[in-house]
Amino acid sequence: MNMGASTTAPWREASANQTRLAFGQALLAIGERESRAVVLSADTQDLLGIRPWIANWPDRFIEVGIAEQNAIGIASGLATTGLHPYVCAYAPFIAARSMEQIRNDVAYANQRVVIGAAASGISLGVAGGTHHALEDLALMRSMPNMTVIVPADVNEAYHATLATLDIDGPVYLRLGGRTPEAPVTEDSAGFTLGRASRLRPGNDVTVIACGAMVELALKASDALKAEGIDARVLNMHTIKPLDREAILQAAAETSGIVTAEEHRFAGGLGGAVAELLAVERPTPMRMVAMPDEFAVVGPTVRLREKYGMSAEAIVAACKSLVG
Amino acid sequence: MNMGASTTAPWREASANQTRLAFGQALLAIGERESRAVVLSADTQDLLGIRPWIANWPDRFIEVGIAEQNAIGIASGLATTGLHPYVCAYAPFIAARSMEQIRNDVAYANQRVVIGAAASGISLGVAGGTHHALEDLALMRSMPNMTVIVPADVNEAYHATLATLDIDGPVYLRLGGRTPEAPVTEDSAGFTLGRASRLRPGNDVTVIACGAMVELALKASDALKAEGIDARVLNMHTIKPLDREAILQAAAETSGIVTAEEHRFAGGLGGAVAELLAVERPTPMRMVAMPDEFAVVGPTVRLREKYGMSAEAIVAACKSLVG
Amino acid sequence: MAVGNEVRSACRYQARIMITIGHHDCRLSDDRETGERMNEARDELLKRLENEARLLRRNLWRALRAGGGGHAGGSSSAADMLTALYFHRMRLKPSEPDWPDRDRFVLSKGHANAALGAVLAQAGFIDDALLDRFYHFESPFGMHPDIKVPGVEMCTGALGHGLAIATGMAYGARIQNKSFHTFVMLGDAELHEGSNWEAAMAAAHYRLDNLTAIVDHNKIGQSGRIEELISLDPLADKWRSFGWEVREIDGHDMGQIVDTFDALPLKKTRPTAIVAHTVKGKGVSFAEDTYLWHSNSVDDEVHARALKELGGA
Amino acid sequence: MAVGNEVRSACRYQARIMITIGHHDCRLSDDRETGERMNEARDELLKRLENEARLLRRNLWRALRAGGGGHAGGSSSAADMLTALYFHRMRLKPSEPDWPDRDRFVLSKGHANAALGAVLAQAGFIDDALLDRFYHFESPFGMHPDIKVPGVEMCTGALGHGLAIATGMAYGARIQNKSFHTFVMLGDAELHEGSNWEAAMAAAHYRLDNLTAIVDHNKIGQSGRIEELISLDPLADKWRSFGWEVREIDGHDMGQIVDTFDALPLKKTRPTAIVAHTVKGKGVSFAEDTYLWHSNSVDDEVHARALKELGGA
Ligand SMILES: Cc1ncc(C[n+]2csc(CCOP(=O)(O)OP(=O)(O)O)c2C)c(N)n1
Ligand SMILES: Cc1ncc(C[n+]2csc(CCOP(=O)(O)OP(=O)(O)O)c2C)c(N)n1
Ligand SMILES: [Mg+2]
Ligand SMILES: [Mg+2]
């Protein structure tokens, strides 16, 4: 596995190829730069790797216990006093259990609260339906004022977390999911909020992916290339606000759009793209997403196979659009 | 206002043209027929008009206090013992505050729990953002096993509630919103779960509406008729499971589809239709929905004007598709 | 961490603020020194606060009339304590509502916004004319507090949110070495919401003695008497077992209210819960102690009847 | 409304069920009559339960090995009480898992599912071989209980759900005039979730003495000691102030466990909270009393070390 010179960065090593740990590592950089940053844990001190933060800045660390609603309420209150809270939590709980707190205390009141939501999608495959977060994008996207980010790898998770320094409002950072074997984004490439990054050119068909699916979109694109199909790949790391231009351009320049996400069909990335295109430019689409059922238990890789969260599924979807 | 012979039904009078009260009235009929039915209130005894139930069947009534999460958990436990709980609640709270309880205890465990969610949309206009339920369809639609119903008037609310006698799983009944001046559905027509009802024929353009917007869709259709445009009107009372056939047929037979709902753009009825069409049959759409912002305070009628929740907006949307 | 005692004692028994609405800035001056004068000042203070509370009730009914109705019950039961907070206890600068060192108040029972609006108008945070725009189209003064209104600290209305938010504010004061105190007012039926108990447990763990929760214990929710909905008894024990210092008071006795506010924190290293026994709808006989006036319509005639009882025009 | 005393006493001190796994149906026979024999039976009972609990611990570690890891800590602290529930206290028919009159058990701390699976296998609800499919692809035996598994009453795993659900079950018994008793086991750190306190307040209001909550009080959550996360003390007072009858026991002393279960309800018209002091990871020295073994990997070597301490092969 060759990750280039930048692989030597200590944060990268400490992230162990987990976006949730990259979030914790980025917090350390934020802690140095921004004295207003405060970290909250809901009994999640290891999950997001924040023990170094606790050691460095015990006065700017708050443990709330297993109380996700409280984490959001307290974060909102802290934010009103001028602090910048970062809530470390499990995606399956923080999004759904605290939905109303996020809507009212954070989104409606438009407070600067960043939620690091680990264990999203089917990262916790063996843990079953209570622990799969397959509707969190639908939930978070439903609220005004929210910024919703789904990093594709540790590099992007790190830089997206740093980017929150400049976001004066609520942010949901969706962490977890498949960890790519090699980074899919460039370490130096920085992260531009709200701007999809075009990872592959191509004018036959477009794959718009987020999070763990970006790696598979790239693999699919490579496989299609071998068959003479040029599949554009957009890494749609920001689900909200959506990069409308990049999508409309793709719709104009290619024969159709495949979305790929570790989320159920309803209301996620595919839904967001479909809503835009239906109104602005009707375009054939395929959606690679989790079916409308509660997933079985099992190792995440097996679940991905079972539910077609694969490069092959993306390839097939692309072909059906250019065929 | 002429509502025909059926207007003399006592339940209709008691409903006072409010879908939430029609729900409470239907419960009285259910109470007679189904001894397993149990009604739960979260300090909402008047909101859904359940005082007669409490008087009739005190042993089958449970007050949980202002504790929406608890209402869902208790309902789930009751359901496991063979009872059929009906939870009476506020839409802005029950959907978001209890989101995780609904997902786990009701949808994942697939329990027969019916949620009567009053005060949806911007029914509580003067109450502001904490009390507007403009993302509840996105939330409820995101979960497997859920049935999501949005009645268009008191008649449909009454019959949809009766229909829950035959739904062996979780149901979210979205109540509230504009009360039509005259009923838009036929008293005798019954309610067929999952089957959109075609209220107007027409092959130029289609309006798919739900809830309070159905009346406006009819008005829009009438106005368009005067201009020589035949707008089909589908009352999509069941958001989940969605009537795919009716939508695909409309897409095939008319020039485009306008959706109309008292919900934000993201993830609601428009989103559901867009997701389906993008994959099955790309079709030009317009969405009449609430914008991605927290609505201002004010009387509901004024908010509807401000945000274009009007027959005029539907007319304009239809024209832009046939023009 | 805690509100410095020097600072707090310096803002007790102020005279000027009672006289001129909208001049809270002056609260740090005019301290009375001798016991004699303090006693004198106290009588004067209580009288002024009681007058201000009467005005507050008239103003909130005025708002209800403007809105065609609203939450008379919970607004009225809270009126005396709101008066004592805004006209005595809290350090505030109405001319600078975002003054970083201001004390914080969160109306968790946000449906009592008519009372909050009234006190904010009386204190000079907002234009008195706004009271006549209650519930109006695009008014910032709706059924529930909106953070965009000067003096309002948080959008509330959904019950069970305020205590966690106030805990965050109090913790924020500690982190930033600020001496402001955070108050949060809770409905009693609101305490059914479990989110309150999460926050209660946490605030005690954090030893936030710069945090005070006031429970407006009027014994009534929306659908009826709390005893018949879900009983809260023994309420003080609940708070104590969650680590709070508790005092029960008569929430309409201005002397008890002021004395309790002046004694905060009741115990070092503990947050304080004031369980204030009140009467829902207090001040207007037909609205008193009935769930029917939790929220109700108010037309000109009802308003006139209410105002008559409140000594208004 | 409450579990009839006749019925319950009839299922105390059963012998046969202890001998033959999978024959709980017979629990209603074989009642011992004389005090002498009851004492005899009690010694025998405790010994059998203790043996069963040892087997349960071996079985849960076996599952953990099959899964490559899991929640050893909370599974082990719960083992003795689970044993006493399934092999002594609860009226169950493993051959008819949906028997309407069965007692109910909800594992609210669902992450202890390795222990629940083990006891369900030992009691004959599920095939013993399923224990070797813990975490496996498409296995019904994953990290958390799945209602599709015979004997499992609810999908749990997200903390703070079980008490409300159990309250609904107990209320369902009352409505249908059934005499079954509902048990729910809660983690101690789980009690941070406010949803528990909503349910606690409601269950006491309903006077559900057919409901028993068992708190597995091992003093540790996921990230560390609860005292350092958010303190729960005084825990018994919290339950009491919420209207519950409380008994504190040693959750590893089978005699105390059995005596307490046999005495239910501790008080008519009140739900019972058993605060069981336990040791996280109990039974395997290296896993005891440390958050590091809240959840951890288990390979063959670790498994062998654990099994050695548990007297296994
Ligand atoms: C989460 C939530 N559930 C329900 C409501 C509806 N509601 C508004 S006020 C109220 C009763 C509140 O009673 P209490 O807290 O005692 O307030 P007070 O008596 O002081 O008015 C209810 C149920 C709400 N605002 N928020
Ligand atoms: C709502 C929710 N938040 C967080 C978690 C993650 N989690 C699983 S177990 C656990 C610690 C539980 O500690 P405790 O309740 O004391 O259980 P025990 O010690 O008996 O294992 C946490 C935080 C969860 N399962 N559910
Ligand atoms: Mg009250
Ligand atoms: Mg524990």
Side-chain angles (χ1 to χ4, degrees):
Chain A
M1 179 164 35
N2 173 13
M3 293 193 277
S6 60
T7 58
T8 53
W11 68 261
R12 186 184 287 279
E13 206 138 328
S15 298
N17 221 12
Q18 298 282 351
T19 54
R20 58 184 166 85
L21 298 179
F23 176 84
Q25 288 296 309
L27 289 186
L28 297 179
I30 288 173
E32 297 287 356
R33 286 191 225 172
E34 178 51 84
S35 64
R36 290 170 293 186
V38 178
V39 168
L40 288 85
S41 153
D43 200 359
T44 48
Q45 298 182 14
D46 294 299
L47 184 69
L48 292 101
I50 54 174
R51 294 213 189 252
W53 175 288
I54 303 173
N56 288 357
W57 301 289
D59 294 345
R60 289 197 274 139
F61 170 72
I62 306 179
E63 173 61 58
V64 303
I66 311 176
E68 291 79 8
Q69 298 179 84
N70 205 30
I72 299 296
I74 290 179
S76 169
L78 288 165
T80 66
T81 71
L83 295 168
H84 297 179
Y86 286 81
V87 177
C88 298
Y90 281 92
F93 310 128
I94 198 75
R97 187 67 151 271
S98 316
M99 173 69 205
E100 205 219 6
Q101 276 78 12
I102 298 175
R103 183 186 66 194
N104 296 1
D105 310 347
V106 173
Y108 183 33
N110 205 4
Q111 295 300 318
R112 185 176 183 140
V113 170
V114 177
I115 300 167
S120 68
I122 45 170
S123 318
L124 297 179
V126 300
T130 57
H131 281 59
H132 298 162
L134 292 168
E135 62 284 301
D136 56 332
L137 292 179
L139 271 53
M140 294 300 111
R141 207 168 70 74
S142 74
M143 291 174 281
N145 296 338
M146 289 296 295
T147 294
V148 182
I149 303 172
V150 188
D153 61 11
V154 288
N155 176 50
E156 195 161 78
Y158 188 85
H159 288 101
T161 306
L162 291 186
T164 62
L165 281 164
D166 300 319
I167 306 176
D168 189 15
V171 180
Y172 182 80
L173 255 159
R174 190 185 206 233
L175 307 165
R178 182 194 192 92
T179 51
E181 288 156 28
V184 296
T185 67
E186 282 304 313
D187 201 11
S188 50
F191 165 86
T192 310
L193 183 75
R195 287 241 146 271
S197 49
R198 195 188 291 197
L199 298 181
R200 292 279 189 281
N203 285 326
D204 292 334
V205 64
T206 302
V207 184
I208 302 180
C210 67
M213 301 303 286
V214 173
E215 182 195 24
L216 304 184
L218 292 175
K219 283 193 179 149
S221 178
D222 294 345
L224 287 162
K225 186 126 209 155
E227 304 191 45
I229 297 171
D230 278 339
R232 180 180 304 189
V233 175
L234 297 182
N235 171 12
M236 193 62 67
H237 48 66
T238 310
I239 305 295
K240 186 170 189 168
L242 197 63
D243 187 344
R244 297 164 54 96
E245 276 163 42
I247 297 168
L248 292 174
Q249 199 185 342
E253 295 172 357
T254 69
S255 65
I257 286 175
V258 175
T259 56
E261 65 197 304
E262 199 171 300
H263 186 273
R264 285 197 207 95
F265 282 95
L269 170 63
V273 172
E275 288 165 7
L276 172 68
L277 291 178
V279 173
E280 299 294 339
R281 188 183 187 100
T283 304
M285 279 182 68
R286 297 290 177 269
M287 298 189 200
V288 175
M290 294 288 288
D292 188 32
E293 56 188 72
F294 286 97
V296 299
V297 155
T300 304
V301 287
R302 298 296 302 277
L303 299 194
R304 290 207 174 100
E305 277 166 29
K306 179 181 172 82
Y307 295 112
M309 302 278 100
S310 62
E312 293 70 34
I314 298 173
V315 165
C318 287
K319 283 189 186 168
S320 78
L321 288 173
V322 294
Chain B
M1 181 164 34
N2 175 13
M3 295 189 272
S6 59
T7 58
T8 53
W11 67 259
R12 186 184 287 280
E13 205 137 329
S15 298
N17 221 11
Q18 298 282 351
T19 55
R20 58 185 166 85
L21 297 179
F23 176 84
Q25 288 297 308
L27 289 185
L28 297 180
I30 288 173
E32 297 287 356
R33 288 190 222 173
E34 178 52 84
S35 65
R36 290 170 295 185
V38 179
V39 169
L40 289 85
S41 152
D43 199 0
T44 47
Q45 298 183 14
D46 294 300
L47 185 69
L48 292 102
I50 54 174
R51 296 214 186 249
W53 175 288
I54 303 173
N56 288 358
W57 301 288
D59 295 345
R60 289 198 274 139
F61 170 72
I62 306 180
E63 172 61 58
V64 303
I66 310 176
E68 291 79 9
Q69 299 180 85
N70 204 31
I72 299 295
I74 289 179
S76 169
L78 288 164
T80 67
T81 72
L83 296 169
H84 297 180
Y86 287 80
V87 177
C88 299
Y90 280 92
F93 310 128
I94 198 75
R97 187 64 151 271
S98 314
M99 173 68 207
E100 204 219 6
Q101 276 79 13
I102 298 174
R103 183 186 66 194
N104 296 1
D105 310 347
V106 172
Y108 182 34
N110 205 2
Q111 294 300 318
R112 186 176 182 140
V113 170
V114 177
I115 300 166
S120 68
I122 46 171
S123 318
L124 297 179
V126 299
T130 59
H131 281 58
H132 299 160
L134 293 169
E135 62 284 300
D136 57 332
L137 292 179
L139 271 53
M140 294 300 111
R141 208 169 70 73
S142 75
M143 291 174 281
N145 297 336
M146 287 299 295
T147 294
V148 181
I149 302 172
V150 188
D153 61 11
V154 288
N155 176 50
E156 195 161 75
Y158 188 84
H159 288 100
T161 305
L162 291 186
T164 62
L165 282 164
D166 300 318
I167 306 176
D168 189 14
V171 180
Y172 182 81
L173 254 159
R174 189 185 208 232
L175 308 165
R178 186 194 190 90
T179 50
E181 286 156 27
V184 296
T185 68
E186 280 305 312
D187 202 9
S188 50
F191 166 87
T192 311
L193 185 74
R195 288 240 146 273
S197 48
R198 194 189 292 197
L199 298 182
R200 292 280 188 283
N203 285 327
D204 292 332
V205 63
T206 302
V207 183
I208 303 180
C210 67
M213 301 303 286
V214 174
E215 183 195 24
L216 303 185
L218 292 175
K219 283 195 180 150
S221 178
D222 294 345
L224 287 162
K225 185 124 207 157
E227 304 190 43
I229 298 171
D230 277 339
R232 179 181 303 188
V233 175
L234 297 181
N235 172 11
M236 192 60 69
H237 48 66
T238 310
I239 305 293
K240 186 170 188 167
L242 198 63
D243 187 343
R244 297 165 53 95
E245 276 162 46
I247 297 168
L248 292 174
Q249 200 185 341
E253 295 173 358
T254 69
S255 64
I257 286 175
V258 175
T259 56
E261 65 198 303
E262 198 170 302
H263 186 273
R264 283 197 209 95
F265 282 96
L269 169 63
V273 172
E275 287 165 9
L276 171 67
L277 292 178
V279 173
E280 299 293 340
R281 186 182 188 100
T283 304
M285 279 182 68
R286 298 288 177 271
M287 299 189 199
V288 174
M290 292 288 288
D292 188 31
E293 55 188 74
F294 286 97
V296 300
V297 156
T300 304
V301 285
R302 298 296 301 278
L303 298 194
R304 290 206 174 100
E305 276 167 31
K306 179 182 171 80
Y307 295 113
M309 302 277 99
S310 62
E312 292 70 34
I314 298 173
V315 165
C318 287
K319 283 191 187 168
S320 78
L321 287 173
V322 294
Chain C
M1 197 143 64
V3 175
N5 267 316
E6 334 70 59
V7 180
R8 269 184 306 97
S9 60
C11 56
R12 282 184 195 161
Y13 310 133
Q14 304 296 322
R16 256 206 293 166
I17 186 174
M18 304 307 147
I19 299 163
T20 320
I21 286 166
H23 282 78
H24 287 223
D25 311 43
C26 62
R27 296 201 63 179
L28 299 180
S29 59
D30 253 20
D31 197 24
R32 306 299 169 110
E33 293 299 335
T34 69
E36 169 89 351
R37 288 189 65 193
M38 278 182 73
N39 286 333
E40 239 189 294
R42 185 174 190 277
D43 291 350
E44 196 187 311
L45 167 71
L46 295 186
K47 200 178 292 164
R48 283 196 177 112
L49 289 177
E50 281 156 6
N51 282 335
E52 202 73 55
R54 253 189 300 277
L55 176 60
L56 198 164
R57 287 195 168 85
R58 288 198 296 271
N59 271 329
L60 79 85
W61 277 92
R62 178 181 145 205
L64 297 180
R65 178 175 58 167
H71 294 79
S75 299
S76 304
S77 55
D80 299 304
M81 295 177 289
L82 281 173
T83 304
L85 283 171
Y86 279 83
F87 287 94
H88 171 63
R89 179 57 181 78
M90 292 207 293
R91 295 166 62 210
L92 299 165
K93 295 191 187 181
S95 59
E96 192 190 339
D98 294 337
W99 178 42
D101 294 319
R102 73 194 181 279
D103 287 334
R104 305 301 202 270
F105 175 72
V106 177
L107 184 66
S108 190
K109 42 170 279 190
H111 57 278
N113 195 34
L116 181 61
V119 83
L120 289 176
Q122 290 172 222
F125 280 93
I126 58 174
D127 192 333
D128 178 78
L130 192 57
L131 298 184
D132 297 318
R133 294 188 51 217
F134 191 54
Y135 285 13
H136 287 200
F137 181 54
E138 294 191 330
S139 171
F141 185 34
M143 191 186 281
H144 302 106
D146 185 326
I147 198 169
K148 291 191 288 292
V149 172
V152 171
E153 301 288 355
M154 181 50 64
C155 307
T156 51
L159 297 166
H161 290 242
L163 190 56
I165 291 163
T167 299
M169 290 172 175
Y171 211 126
R174 169 190 296 177
I175 290 176
Q176 294 167 93
N177 271 314
K178 291 197 173 290
S179 62
F180 66 77
H181 198 93
T182 300
F183 296 86
V184 53
M185 184 177 283
L186 305 159
D188 45 4
E190 178 178 12
L191 295 177
H192 294 149
E193 292 284 1
S195 46
N196 292 297
W197 302 102
E198 292 183 3
M201 211 189 280
H205 181 83
Y206 305 145
R207 301 167 182 261
L208 293 174
D209 55 12
N210 57 353
L211 174 65
T212 297
I214 303 166
V215 179
D216 184 356
H217 197 10
N218 57 29
K219 285 76 174 183
I220 293 178
Q222 176 160 345
S223 305
R225 303 198 75 80
I226 293 174
E227 199 48 43
E228 285 156 28
L229 300 170
I230 293 289
S231 172
L232 293 168
D233 287 338
L235 182 53
D237 283 0
K238 285 189 174 62
W239 284 97
R240 262 183 222 111
S241 74
F242 273 69
W244 289 56
E245 193 64 25
V246 183
R247 183 174 295 179
E248 301 199 50
I249 65 167
D250 175 344
H252 300 306
D253 180 324
M254 200 55 86
Q256 284 188 44
I257 297 170
V258 162
D259 289 347
T260 306
F261 285 171
D262 286 345
L264 295 175
L266 296 186
K267 185 150 182 165
K268 269 231 160 278
T269 80
R270 286 213 187 145
T272 297
I274 299 173
V275 175
H277 295 272
T278 58
V279 176
K280 202 154 174 166
K282 176 75 176 181
V284 171
S285 58
F286 59 81
E288 281 187 0
D289 200 32
T290 167
Y291 79 91
L292 296 171
W293 275 94
H294 169 70
S295 173
N296 211 338
S297 313
V298 177
D299 58 14
D300 287 352
E301 190 250 316
V302 168
H303 175 250
R305 279 169 57 210
L307 227 59
K308 214 166 140 187
E309 296 201 27
L310 295 168
Chain D
M1 193 143 66
V3 175
N5 268 318
E6 336 70 59
V7 180
R8 269 185 306 99
S9 61
C11 55
R12 284 184 194 160
Y13 311 133
Q14 305 294 323
R16 257 206 292 166
I17 186 173
M18 306 308 148
I19 299 162
T20 321
I21 287 167
H23 284 77
H24 287 221
D25 316 35
C26 62
R27 298 202 62 179
L28 299 180
S29 60
D30 254 20
D31 196 24
R32 306 299 171 107
E33 293 299 335
T34 68
E36 170 90 351
R37 289 189 63 195
M38 276 184 74
N39 286 335
E40 239 190 296
R42 186 173 190 275
D43 291 350
E44 196 185 310
L45 166 70
L46 295 186
K47 203 180 291 163
R48 286 199 176 107
L49 290 177
E50 280 155 6
N51 282 335
E52 203 72 55
R54 253 188 300 277
L55 176 59
L56 197 163
R57 287 196 168 83
R58 289 199 295 272
N59 272 330
L60 80 85
W61 278 91
R62 178 181 147 208
L64 297 179
R65 178 174 61 166
H71 294 79
S75 299
S76 304
S77 55
D80 299 303
M81 294 177 289
L82 281 173
T83 304
L85 283 171
Y86 280 83
F87 287 95
H88 170 63
R89 179 56 180 80
M90 291 206 294
R91 297 167 60 209
L92 299 164
K93 296 190 187 182
S95 61
E96 192 190 339
D98 294 335
W99 179 42
D101 294 319
R102 72 192 181 281
D103 287 334
R104 305 299 202 272
F105 175 72
V106 177
L107 184 65
S108 190
K109 42 169 279 185
H111 58 279
N113 196 33
L116 181 62
V119 83
L120 289 176
Q122 289 171 224
F125 281 93
I126 58 174
D127 192 336
D128 178 77
L130 192 56
L131 298 185
D132 299 316
R133 293 187 53 218
F134 191 54
Y135 286 11
H136 287 201
F137 182 54
E138 294 190 331
S139 171
F141 185 34
M143 191 186 282
H144 302 106
D146 186 326
I147 198 168
K148 291 189 288 292
V149 173
V152 172
E153 302 287 357
M154 181 48 65
C155 306
T156 50
L159 296 166
H161 290 241
L163 189 56
I165 292 162
T167 299
M169 291 172 175
Y171 211 127
R174 170 189 297 179
I175 290 175
Q176 294 168 92
N177 271 312
K178 292 199 172 290
S179 62
F180 66 78
H181 198 93
T182 299
F183 296 86
V184 54
M185 185 177 282
L186 304 159
D188 45 3
E190 178 178 11
L191 294 177
H192 294 148
E193 292 284 2
S195 46
N196 292 297
W197 302 103
E198 291 183 4
M201 211 189 281
H205 181 84
Y206 305 144
R207 300 167 182 264
L208 293 174
D209 54 13
N210 57 353
L211 174 66
T212 296
I214 303 167
V215 180
D216 185 355
H217 197 12
N218 59 28
K219 283 81 176 177
I220 292 177
Q222 176 160 344
S223 305
R225 304 197 76 79
I226 293 173
E227 199 47 43
E228 285 155 27
L229 300 171
I230 294 290
S231 171
L232 293 167
D233 287 338
L235 183 52
D237 282 0
K238 285 188 173 62
W239 285 97
R240 260 181 225 115
S241 73
F242 273 69
W244 289 56
E245 194 65 24
V246 183
R247 185 175 294 180
E248 299 198 51
I249 65 168
D250 176 344
H252 301 305
D253 179 324
M254 199 57 86
Q256 283 188 42
I257 296 171
V258 160
D259 290 347
T260 306
F261 285 172
D262 286 347
L264 295 174
L266 297 187
K267 183 148 183 167
K268 270 232 159 280
T269 79
R270 286 214 187 144
T272 297
I274 300 174
V275 175
H277 295 271
T278 58
V279 175
K280 200 151 176 167
K282 176 76 176 181
V284 172
S285 59
F286 59 81
E288 282 187 358
D289 200 31
T290 165
Y291 78 91
L292 296 171
W293 273 94
H294 169 70
S295 173
N296 210 338
S297 313
V298 176
D299 59 15
D300 288 352
E301 189 251 316
V302 168
H303 176 250
R305 281 168 57 209
L307 226 60
K308 214 165 138 189
E309 297 199 27
L310 295 167

